Amino acid sequence: MIRTILKLSVCVIITSILASCGSDRSSESNVLPLQGTQFNPLSGNLSITDGIISGTGKMVANLPLDSVQSAHHFEIAFRIPNGGALKLLTHATDTLESGNAIRFVRQRNIVIIEVDSLPVGQFETSAETDTLRATIDVHNDESEGAHILVWAGGASTAGTENPLCEPHRQNGLLGAGSYWGLELDQATVSLAKFGDAIDQD
Amino acid sequence: MIRTNAAILLGSLALSGLLFAENVNSNDTGLQLSIAADLLGEVSTIENGGGINRLDAREAEIGVMAPIDPYLDGYLSMAAHREDDEYVFEPHEIYLSSSKFIPRSRIRAGLFFLGIGRLNQFHRHDWAFTSAPKVQREFFGVEAASDAGIEYSWLTPLPFYLELRLGVTSGWAYGHAHGIGTQPNFPTHYLRATYYNDLFSNGGIQTGLNYLGRRNSSGQWMTLLGIDLTAKWRQDRVLTFLLQSEFWRRQLIQDGTPTETTIGYYLFPQYGINPSMEFGIRFDGYAITSQQDALGNAIANFDYAIVPTLSYHTSEFATLRLSYHHSSDTTSSIEIGRQRFIQLQAVFILGAHPAHDF
């Protein structure tokens, strides 16, 4: 009897160890909810207060995009101090690698938009305390490489105005996964969600 | 800009008519000219129902075909359609073809709709319904996957109909593209076996087995496997019943990322009410079978559409088509998208029109 209990105990311990070694993914208890979108922190130090996520770190949205080959819009509202940045990562792996990266970086009163570390556009002059809202279309289904369109403002008005920029990633590069998320560098984010692409062409 | 393009299009149409009218009439060169026009009106029946809520000239296409010499035939098709709110007039197909160089063989070279599947081999004004099912849109494009390359078809010398086809195309662009695309790591290539046999009561069925592969410049392999079925029953020359279906499976494979597997299909039974009128209902299904959330939990997802369609042929050159599009996209038991709209389509063809396979 004692031997049986010992054997069972060993089995349970080994199973627990193996299960814990199987994944370094976040548990559901660490989820950061942001207006209906659930994010799982991957690295850094992110906190949530009154529905606003702030800090420095990387987080992946729990619900993936439709497909690797898909086109979506992402609507985000954020604040970044001078020298801070926010990076939107789309069509990436579940650890946000090998995706499309659109980075917003503040240099005093200007917020520069970068794709693959190259400046492609900028926001109108804004103060550090302003909350910026942007709508970003990412078409990861085009043969010329991912097509990215960035509008100032929300998704409801994005289709009616010219985008701030609309680059293709160079050398035909496309994101390799179906997950998306954000990388914050001293930033605060109050909204981040996705939907069907605004630009249908 | 729209006016300029429209003027160019109308001018081209008029000029084509003037240039080719004599040849068409005299028929001394075998030159044949056809013009196909596709008008489409859509009205959403719910808010944000997916319809365009206007009447539009969806497409106008000019096709010219003729023997070039005793060995080669030529085909040119130019189409005008909307892109970025402007009409773009561009080549759809430009190819040379021959069935005289090698016995039992047909070769074509140039720019063409890839000879794979069922819908992909037809221009959409020749489809039995108005718009593409989701599986066609996602795997091939809103109309078809086309590319420049070469295709070889061989009719096997067997006691039944079996044709084998091999195609290789540049692969720079596939599906949605605004330009020439980028050089792929491995070009687009495809295989198709087509089998035909008779059915009871003057019926016949064509079955196609298909494979397509391509590796894009980002290193992602795409493989498509599919089967298409087309069964027709006729009385005299009138189509009394049509059953058309395609089932496809796509895999997107890239080092360092999980393989994405998607299946999609449509099934379209259509009944001929009389020689001028047909009624059919299309059932579409589409699901990503490998989808997981960021915590590794499987995500159930399924998109479906039901599209009843009534077609009326005033003659063999004109069709009026009324359909209702009802579709729903569901993820984790939550409906994340729905489309409800009515479509009214008018298609007419001027001049000759090339005969299609079965």
Side-chain angles (χ1 to χ4, degrees):
Chain A
M1 182 68 179
I2 293 173
R3 291 183 69 179
T4 309
I5 291 170
L6 276 173
K7 278 182 184 173
L8 279 172
S9 302
V10 170
C11 285
V12 168
I13 291 165
I14 290 172
T15 307
S16 304
I17 291 168
L18 287 174
S20 64
C21 291
S23 172
D24 59 354
R25 287 169 172 158
S26 310
S27 67
E28 297 202 21
S29 60
N30 292 335
V31 162
L32 301 169
L34 190 64
Q35 295 199 21
T37 305
Q38 307 280 322
F39 286 95
N40 303 300
L42 295 173
S43 63
N45 185 17
L46 297 171
S47 61
I48 182 162
T49 308
D50 297 333
I52 294 174
I53 296 172
S54 58
T56 296
K58 201 191 270 191
M59 58 185 191
V60 60
N62 193 37
L63 193 64
L65 307 169
D66 291 348
S67 168
V68 179
Q69 283 188 8
S70 64
H72 287 285
H73 85 259
F74 301 84
E75 185 176 356
I76 52 175
F78 59 99
R79 266 201 332 245
I80 38 178
N82 189 27
L86 175 73
K87 191 187 282 185
L88 169 69
L89 296 141
T90 79
H91 301 91
T93 63
D94 57 358
T95 53
L96 296 182
E97 303 297 328
S98 308
N100 305 306
I102 301 97
R103 185 166 179 256
F104 301 89
V105 57
R106 179 179 289 281
Q107 291 180 356
R108 287 180 288 279
N109 287 335
I110 297 173
V111 171
I112 295 168
I113 307 164
E114 296 177 348
V115 171
D116 291 331
S117 303
L118 296 171
V120 292
Q122 66 183 49
F123 274 82
E124 296 293 323
T125 305
S126 67
E128 289 187 40
T129 52
D130 287 350
T131 296
L132 292 171
R133 188 177 282 256
T135 300
I136 304 109
D137 253 17
V138 182
H139 298 214
N140 201 52
D141 56 356
E142 297 190 11
S143 297
E144 291 83 7
H147 187 195
I148 295 156
L149 302 95
V150 182
W151 291 273
S156 58
T157 57
T160 60
E161 296 169 5
N162 289 327
L164 297 172
C165 57
E166 49 176 324
H168 276 94
R169 288 188 70 193
Q170 294 186 335
N171 303 317
L173 284 173
L174 294 163
S178 59
Y179 295 92
W180 71 283
L182 296 166
E183 186 176 339
L184 290 73
D185 180 1
Q186 308 166 58
T188 61
V189 181
S190 52
L191 173 73
K193 61 182 184 179
F194 79 96
D196 292 340
I198 303 288
D199 187 280
Q200 293 292 326
D201 291 314
Chain B
M1 189 62 183
I2 295 173
R3 281 186 176 180
T4 311
N5 280 337
I8 292 169
L9 172 61
L10 289 172
S12 304
L13 285 169
L15 187 60
S16 313
L18 288 172
L19 284 174
F20 297 131
E22 190 177 339
N23 285 328
V24 169
N25 291 336
S26 60
N27 205 25
D28 54 357
T29 63
L31 190 73
Q32 291 185 304
L33 170 72
S34 78
I35 298 169
D38 185 352
L39 302 170
L40 176 64
E42 286 182 351
V43 180
S44 295
T45 56
I46 59 171
E47 194 175 353
N48 300 320
I52 59 173
N53 293 322
R54 65 175 186 272
L55 178 65
D56 202 8
R58 181 164 71 165
E59 201 164 65
E61 185 178 280
I62 303 169
V64 185
M65 67 222 86
I68 297 166
D69 58 31
Y71 302 101
L72 291 170
D73 296 321
Y75 181 70
L76 164 69
S77 146
M78 300 284 291
H81 58 90
R82 277 197 194 278
E83 199 167 290
D84 282 331
D85 295 329
E86 291 184 3
Y87 276 107
V88 177
F89 190 47
E90 60 185 10
H92 255 191
E93 295 189 280
I94 306 172
Y95 61 81
L96 299 165
S97 67
S98 177
S99 54
K100 300 186 177 73
F101 284 119
I102 307 171
R104 309 183 73 83
S105 301
R106 188 157 53 93
I107 302 168
R108 61 176 177 165
L111 173 70
F112 48 79
F113 285 9
L114 308 186
I116 191 168
R118 176 71 184 179
L119 290 179
N120 203 74
Q121 301 192 57
F122 291 82
H123 293 241
R124 61 183 167 184
H125 59 253
D126 287 325
W127 290 356
F129 33 78
T130 300
S131 297
K134 184 165 183 172
V135 61
Q136 178 74 15
R137 288 198 311 272
E138 296 293 330
F139 291 4
F140 299 97
V142 290
E143 183 172 18
S146 67
D147 201 2
I150 189 162
E151 182 183 279
Y152 174 71
S153 304
W154 179 56
L155 184 61
T156 58
L158 296 169
F160 52 88
Y161 181 93
L162 177 66
E163 186 190 67
L164 303 176
R165 179 175 296 162
L166 165 68
V168 180
T169 64
S170 78
W172 276 58
Y174 183 89
H176 191 181
H178 291 288
I180 59 170
T182 50
Q183 186 169 4
N185 287 359
F186 200 91
T188 303
H189 54 286
Y190 55 93
L191 296 166
R192 175 175 165 83
T194 311
Y195 172 72
Y196 174 86
N197 63 297
D198 290 331
L199 292 175
F200 55 91
S201 304
N202 295 324
I205 184 167
Q206 186 186 72
T207 308
L209 296 174
N210 308 278
Y211 160 81
L212 182 144
R214 172 180 183 261
R215 191 176 197 195
N216 69 17
S217 56
S218 292
Q220 181 192 68
W221 267 109
M222 178 183 71
T223 58
L224 289 171
L225 290 172
I227 181 168
D228 58 271
L229 299 168
T230 307
K232 292 180 178 180
W233 280 265
R234 292 180 189 278
Q235 247 177 7
D236 298 325
R237 293 184 62 195
V238 177
L239 184 66
T240 54
F241 192 78
L242 165 71
L243 182 65
Q244 185 176 318
S245 182
E246 292 182 62
F247 183 97
W248 288 92
R249 176 179 180 267
R250 181 181 72 181
Q251 284 202 308
L252 301 174
I253 303 162
Q254 186 155 13
D255 291 343
T257 64
T259 296
E260 181 182 289
T261 304
T262 308
I263 57 168
Y265 62 86
Y266 73 88
L267 176 70
F268 183 68
Q270 177 187 269
Y271 174 67
I273 299 167
N274 61 44
S276 303
M277 193 175 288
E278 295 142 355
F279 178 73
I281 303 179
R282 201 183 76 215
F283 304 92
D284 304 348
Y286 187 89
I288 301 173
T289 58
S290 59
Q291 199 170 38
Q292 293 183 334
D293 67 19
L295 297 172
N297 304 310
I299 298 177
N301 64 96
F302 183 63
D303 302 343
Y304 76 87
I306 300 171
V307 188
T309 303
L310 181 69
S311 300
Y312 175 68
H313 308 286
T314 61
S315 70
E316 65 178 295
F317 299 104
T319 301
L320 296 172
R321 185 167 286 132
L322 178 68
S323 51
Y324 178 64
H325 185 101
H326 173 111
S327 68
S328 175
D329 303 345
T330 305
T331 296
S332 298
S333 304
I334 299 168
E335 187 180 54
I336 57 169
R338 65 165 60 173
Q339 295 83 41
R340 308 275 189 276
F341 55 89
I342 295 167
Q343 294 179 303
L344 181 61
Q345 180 192 22
V347 173
F348 58 89
I349 292 165
L350 310 175
H353 197 59
H356 289 296
D357 292 339
F358 185 63

